[in-house]
Amino acid sequence: MAPLDLSPADFRALSRKISDFTADYLERLPNLPAFPLNVSGEAVNALFSAEVPIAPMGERAFDPLADVFALSRPNSPRFFGYVFGSGLPIAALGDFAASVLNQNVTAWRSGPAAVTIERTVVGWLAEAIGCSGFSGSLTGGGSQANLMALCMAREAKAPANENGAQGGVIYCSDEAHMSMPKAAMMLGLGQKNVRRIPVNDRFQMDISHLRDAIMRDLREGNRPIAVVASAGTVATGSIDPLPEIADICSEHNLWMHVDGAYGALAAMTVPEKFVGLNRADSLSLDPHKWLYQPAGCGCLLYRDPAAAQRAFSHTEDYARSLSTDPIESFAFFESSMELSRPFRALKIWLSLRYFGLQAFQQRIAEDLRLARILADSVSAEPQLELLAPVELSAVCFRYVRKNADLDHLNLEILQRIIQRGKVCISNATIRGQFALRACVVNHRSTEEDVKAVVSEVLHAANEVSG
Ligand SMILES: Cc1ncc(COP(=O)(O)O)c(C=O)c1O
């Protein structure tokens, strides 16, 4: 039987090679295409969809790593697609160390250092965004954090854990993230019980429509549970009126969840945009977005730890804490949907210790400035039209040509841009119109990089016109 371990000497030698390979990649990154060129499904399948090897390949197993890296590019300084952080190398080293250690972050009983570090990091994040005193846990991402938040809301306002679901209604804006209806589906609340509230001209939830919808449900005998406010919608980065939503929630005894997966970390830099954030009952934020951490690392914060316990505590005897000490008896699985959990906190802890919080506040300020520069360049270009105000760092716009089908034209432009690989942007639907969308949550981007977005759009538009 072949041993599955590496000798320490082999591990040292191989990890040096991998570290050289990844450092070379980072060195070349600014000059690589922002998106792989000439890629087809068939070609990628041919590279990677092989049979499982039965016999050992040894170090040759690593040979295709060059292809894997060549066919990926989210770390590029010119990657502005979706909302996805640019991956700090220091955090990658944290992930590497965490994987070698392989600490399961279930409970203090199993991992005293890791559990304490995660609780510390969660406290740091809460304090940094003006929510001191909130506790919580790291998650796989924002979708998981949102699902857990709605589960807590359901258990707080229409308890189902004992006797099954009683139903209930959730309110969020038309611009809320798709993870909201998905969470309602998974919790058995049903998509049809998610009321999508129209937005105003700044893409914020319209409060009078929210009030009307709640009153209508109460009249009809439905059971309102929670309002989900967005602090940074995925398309335009708009922030819902948090204080007004908080007032409505207290008036009607509803749970207030803030989906800050995209935006909430910017509260470290521009707190004036996030007034009312600390009135939430729960709040999602994504270190793998605007803290530039490698995927997948989200975070759920909440005001009342007992509410998390009511939603998630279900401990079998074998996992029960043997201690009565308040610190040593702590278990994440009592307040999270996860049991086995990776040591996500290590990379954040190392990143914040290495660079200091201020460096992150400054880099977010720089991303906001770059988005402003991009928006100004769009506005200065007669053939381009800004489609939404730029609240945070997402810029939605389109190319305009007389008598053209603009949705179709801009789709073609986007496809050309991606094929050319000089910048990577994505798309959004803004009031039913196809928009080009660039989102700056990238610690590597410079002014030159964001300006390249405009020149690429103009270049692609010329190509499309033939
Ligand atoms: C506003 C918002 N909420 C939730 C999510 C989901 O986060 P994740 O991709 O980490 O699951 C996103 C992702 O872009 C988002 O922008």
Side-chain angles (χ1 to χ4, degrees):
M1 190 179 66
L4 288 176
D5 217 347
L6 290 178
S7 71
D10 285 349
F11 178 76
R12 193 184 306 276
L14 193 52
S15 55
R16 280 196 177 138
K17 280 190 198 166
I18 302 301
S19 120
D20 281 347
F21 169 84
T22 50
D24 287 349
Y25 167 78
L26 290 176
E27 211 163 52
R28 290 183 295 120
L29 188 56
N31 302 315
L32 293 173
F35 195 76
L37 301 176
N38 304 321
V39 19
S40 77
E42 218 174 308
V44 180
N45 272 353
L47 277 173
F48 303 125
S49 300
E51 297 286 311
V52 59
I54 304 296
M57 298 177 80
E59 279 192 33
R60 281 189 304 117
F62 284 82
D63 289 351
L65 215 50
D67 289 326
V68 174
F69 275 56
L71 288 167
S72 318
R73 204 77 74 244
N75 277 349
S76 161
R78 294 193 175 187
F79 184 90
F80 303 115
Y82 316 104
V83 193
F84 195 63
S86 38
L88 294 178
I90 200 78
L93 296 177
D95 265 350
F96 177 70
S99 284
V100 174
L101 181 65
N102 196 28
Q103 172 65 60
N104 195 356
V105 193
T106 50
W108 194 95
R109 170 186 168 174
S110 308
V115 165
T116 308
I117 289 172
E118 180 164 338
R119 297 185 78 187
T120 302
V121 161
V122 166
W124 284 355
L125 295 177
E127 195 180 333
I129 63 166
C131 294
S132 295
F134 280 50
S135 48
S137 62
L138 299 178
T139 64
S143 302
Q144 186 192 335
N146 285 339
L147 171 64
M148 282 169 53
L150 285 196
C151 188
M152 287 171 63
R154 199 262 327 260
E155 209 43 36
K157 305 296 177 186
N161 282 355
E162 283 303 319
N163 299 317
Q166 314 170 39
V169 180
I170 309 285
Y171 305 83
C172 62
S173 89
D174 272 342
E175 295 286 313
H177 190 257
M178 63 183 186
S179 51
M180 287 307 154
K182 208 165 165 174
M185 283 161 54
M186 286 189 276
L187 291 169
L189 295 168
Q191 285 196 68
K192 82 172 186 7
N193 291 313
V194 178
R195 305 276 182 266
R196 304 303 295 246
I197 308 298
V199 291
N200 62 19
D201 55 359
R202 289 176 60 203
F203 298 89
Q204 300 167 307
M205 188 189 287
D206 184 308
I207 291 303
S208 62
H209 278 96
L210 173 63
R211 281 191 184 284
D212 292 349
I214 294 171
M215 294 316 290
R216 195 175 319 116
D217 275 315
L218 289 172
R219 272 196 312 275
E220 291 173 5
N222 300 322
R223 184 176 198 160
I225 294 179
V227 182
V228 177
S230 301
T233 57
V234 64
T236 69
S238 69
I239 301 168
D240 286 335
L242 304 175
E244 287 86 343
I245 292 175
D247 288 345
I248 293 176
C249 285
S250 19
E251 202 179 306
H252 293 283
N253 189 26
L254 304 180
W255 186 274
M256 176 177 173
H257 175 62
V258 176
D259 178 7
Y262 165 19
L265 282 160
M268 313 197 275
T269 303
V270 280
E272 65 281 6
K273 285 183 185 281
F274 294 88
V275 172
L277 196 63
N278 60 358
R279 294 182 61 191
D281 293 296
S282 58
L283 161 61
S284 307
L285 54 107
D286 257 2
H288 68 194
K289 293 183 168 60
W290 231 344
L291 211 61
Y292 317 108
Q293 299 293 303
C297 190
C299 179
L300 177 66
L301 298 177
Y302 38 79
R303 171 189 303 284
D304 177 14
Q309 301 237 340
R310 278 197 296 277
F312 301 114
S313 175
H314 186 87
T315 307
E316 297 288 347
D317 211 38
Y318 80 95
R320 197 170 45 83
S321 171
L322 304 177
S323 167
T324 52
D325 178 274
I327 298 174
E328 296 174 18
S329 61
F330 178 83
F332 275 113
F333 56 75
E334 292 282 334
S335 51
S336 156
M337 62 184 266
E338 297 179 317
L339 177 55
S340 295
R341 307 171 69 251
F343 192 0
R344 300 179 180 105
L346 187 59
K347 57 187 163 204
I348 304 181
W349 192 63
L350 292 174
S351 303
L352 288 170
R353 284 169 55 84
Y354 192 91
F355 291 113
L357 182 66
Q358 197 180 40
F360 289 87
Q361 292 167 315
Q362 288 169 348
R363 183 59 230 193
I364 290 173
E366 177 65 0
D367 286 347
L368 295 168
R369 189 183 76 89
L370 295 182
R372 200 59 263 160
I373 288 176
L374 175 55
D376 290 345
S377 324
V378 165
S379 304
E381 202 55 63
Q383 286 156 306
L384 300 181
E385 176 187 21
L386 209 54
L387 289 177
V390 177
E391 188 63 38
L392 293 172
S393 68
V395 184
C396 294
F397 63 105
R398 66 178 175 176
Y399 185 87
V400 185
R401 180 179 293 152
K402 235 180 162 178
N403 301 328
D405 172 346
L406 294 184
D407 283 359
H408 187 251
L409 174 65
N410 282 279
L411 170 62
E412 278 197 61
I413 290 173
L414 179 61
Q415 285 167 335
R416 287 288 162 118
I417 290 172
I418 297 202
Q419 269 163 21
R420 283 169 53 79
K422 303 258 193 245
V423 299
C424 187
I425 59 175
S426 57
N427 56 287
T429 303
I430 304 294
R431 301 198 191 285
Q433 296 167 324
F434 185 93
L436 304 170
R437 177 179 171 286
C439 184
V440 193
V441 284
N442 193 325
H443 73 281
R444 296 190 171 91
S445 306
T446 63
E447 232 175 277
E448 207 184 312
D449 293 321
V450 290
K451 284 186 175 158
V453 172
V454 169
S455 49
E456 274 304 291
V457 171
L458 297 177
H459 188 104
N462 279 337
E463 278 187 5
V464 170
S465 70

